[in-house]
Amino acid sequence: MDTSRRVYVFSLIAVALWCGLILVAPASKLAGFPSQVSSILYTAFSHVCHQFPDRTLFLGSEPLGVCARCTGIYFSFLASMILLPFLGGLREKVPPRAILLIALSPMAIDVFLSISGIHFSTMGTRLLTGILAGGVLPFFVLPPFLDAIRQLMVHRGDSLNAKQTG
Amino acid sequence: MRFGNSWFIAEILSMPNKPDKIRVSLICGAIIGAVWAIPGLNLINCCCCAGVILGGVLAVYLYKQEFTEEMQPMESSDAVILGIMTGGVAAFAAMIFNLLLLALFGDVAGEMVRSIMASLIERMEESGSFPPEAIDQMKSEFERSMSQSRTVTGILTDLFLNLIINPLFAMGGALIGYSIFKPKKKIDTPQPQARQ
């Protein structure tokens, strides 16, 4: 397996783990694990999300680790990452910037309308706009990331060679 | 091997043919830290650390401005390193700004979060869609986390979590920034042949 594939698999596992922990936070509580487990996870996720209960999806009677919008972003990011190699997205070329703008605009509009009080966002709009944003992001993040790791490894090899010969 | 790694890290931080990353990461890290700490402004981070991600984008934008014609073009590895550095600085900056605000103005941020949470709980109670036990449990969990956040252990836990989360999200932002602002590859135009 070449470096890019290895880094891709590692990144995929890391993102899957992150998404899994979002579900583990309520699941551990429901399964009757010590409350410290869910408490630690909820505290950790509170650093990346407001976790307001009325804006969060529930697993049984317990809220997920993050709100509906963030859930949409992270899970569609993961789904998109899985599909990326089949769509040729692991190549260095990233899609046009306009696609990023189109994908992020609904979320920005939804947030703006909600804050301004013109139209309050619903669970559906939060989830959908999150899914749209998260689904596009891997196409802009992953190819340069894989390329960066490749560059750093080449540079590290050069650096060590120069040190040994010099 | 260890010496080799530290040599490599020192080398990538100060590449002679590229602008200094430390200055940009300090500026952007301080901005992210301030956004993280200032009550009201910090609400931007409620959506997947948007403030930190935007900070990463800003860092790449500012870094790109420092390149001159003679330098090697910006690479994606520069964006990754810059994002990680910016996130790391932001974690410390957030802690410093938080402590400063706490010392100067008291627990303004805490009061703000309390008022938001109180109105939320009121709304939940009015809607009747949540069982009263769940709301009571939520209240006690919230009060427990609020009281913990102002202790030394709470502050250190915050710093520890921020040192993991901020570099990750700032790196993501920097990679998005790189995709947006990356230099266009120069197309090699054929040199005009000298007339014989």
Side-chain angles (χ1 to χ4, degrees):
Chain A
M1 209 193 291
D2 66 1
T3 310
S4 288
R5 292 265 160 199
R6 256 182 293 171
V7 176
Y8 165 74
V9 171
F10 178 77
S11 312
L12 189 64
I13 291 168
V15 175
L17 194 68
W18 178 269
C19 290
L21 289 176
I22 291 172
L23 299 174
V24 168
S28 63
K29 216 170 178 179
L30 289 170
F33 287 173
S35 63
Q36 286 93 331
V37 177
S38 63
S39 183
I40 288 169
L41 290 172
Y42 281 121
T43 306
F45 283 119
S46 72
H47 280 251
V48 294
C49 181
H50 53 69
Q51 300 176 321
F52 291 157
D54 63 336
R55 291 172 176 235
T56 305
L57 298 169
F58 278 66
L59 187 70
S61 58
E62 298 298 332
L64 298 187
V66 292
C67 72
R69 200 187 302 277
C70 293
T71 305
I73 292 173
Y74 295 133
F75 278 87
S76 66
F77 191 98
L78 175 66
S80 203
M81 257 184 99
I82 294 168
L83 292 175
L84 211 60
F86 305 107
L87 301 172
L90 289 185
R91 276 174 268 140
E92 200 192 327
K93 204 166 185 286
V94 292
R97 288 174 229 178
I99 291 179
L100 186 67
L101 195 71
I102 291 166
L104 296 181
S105 298
M107 189 166 74
I109 292 167
D110 192 42
V111 171
F112 172 76
L113 291 179
S114 197
I115 289 172
S116 60
I118 298 169
H119 170 76
F120 286 104
S121 58
T122 62
M123 199 68 95
T125 61
R126 286 177 214 129
L127 195 62
L128 275 177
T129 55
I131 288 171
L132 187 62
V136 164
L137 284 177
F139 289 88
F140 290 86
V141 172
L142 212 57
F145 179 68
L146 297 178
D147 190 42
I149 300 296
R150 219 167 21 233
Q151 285 166 18
L152 287 171
M153 289 184 81
V154 169
H155 189 72
R156 185 173 179 276
D158 290 350
S159 172
L160 289 175
N161 281 343
K163 191 90 192 87
Q164 277 165 4
T165 52
Chain B
M1 191 65 184
R2 204 169 167 186
F3 179 74
N5 278 337
S6 51
W7 176 264
F8 167 64
I9 290 166
E11 214 177 67
I12 56 173
L13 287 180
S14 57
M15 285 183 176
N17 47 6
K18 290 202 175 162
D20 185 19
K21 291 185 184 73
I22 296 169
R23 203 175 68 88
V24 175
S25 60
L26 282 175
I27 293 169
C28 292
I31 293 171
I32 298 171
V35 169
W36 195 281
I38 295 169
L41 216 54
N42 59 3
L43 291 177
I44 191 174
N45 284 319
C46 285
C47 183
C48 292
C49 285
V52 182
I53 294 173
L54 289 175
V57 176
L58 177 70
V60 168
Y61 175 74
L62 292 180
Y63 187 61
K64 195 197 165 194
Q65 304 304 310
E66 300 204 352
F67 277 83
T68 58
E69 282 287 314
E70 297 80 43
M71 291 175 175
Q72 278 183 9
M74 183 171 65
E75 293 173 305
S76 49
S77 55
D78 294 320
V80 166
I81 295 161
L82 194 64
I84 292 171
M85 285 169 70
T86 305
V89 172
F92 285 103
M95 186 186 72
I96 293 165
F97 280 121
N98 262 326
L99 290 175
L100 266 177
L101 283 174
L102 197 64
L104 291 173
F105 305 107
D107 195 7
V108 186
E111 287 307 317
M112 199 177 138
V113 174
R114 266 198 190 89
S115 72
I116 292 173
M117 205 61 194
S119 65
L120 261 175
I121 287 173
E122 199 181 325
R123 231 164 44 202
M124 283 163 66
E125 280 171 336
E126 279 171 8
S127 73
S129 52
F130 294 91
E133 309 86 62
I135 294 175
D136 286 342
Q137 194 188 346
M138 222 173 275
K139 276 182 194 169
S140 63
E141 280 280 324
F142 174 71
E143 278 308 321
R144 191 186 56 79
S145 68
M146 286 302 288
S147 60
Q148 273 182 359
S149 67
R150 295 294 169 233
T151 60
V152 176
T153 320
I155 289 165
L156 289 177
T157 310
D158 271 0
L159 177 66
F160 174 72
L161 287 171
N162 283 347
L163 275 172
I164 298 169
I165 290 165
N166 282 3
L168 274 177
F169 280 81
M171 184 184 76
L175 286 169
I176 293 170
Y178 176 77
S179 294
I180 297 171
F181 305 119
K182 73 173 173 184
K184 288 190 178 80
K185 278 180 183 154
K186 282 176 188 168
I187 299 162
D188 290 329
T189 48
Q191 294 292 317
Q193 285 182 354
R195 286 185 185 175
Q196 289 178 350

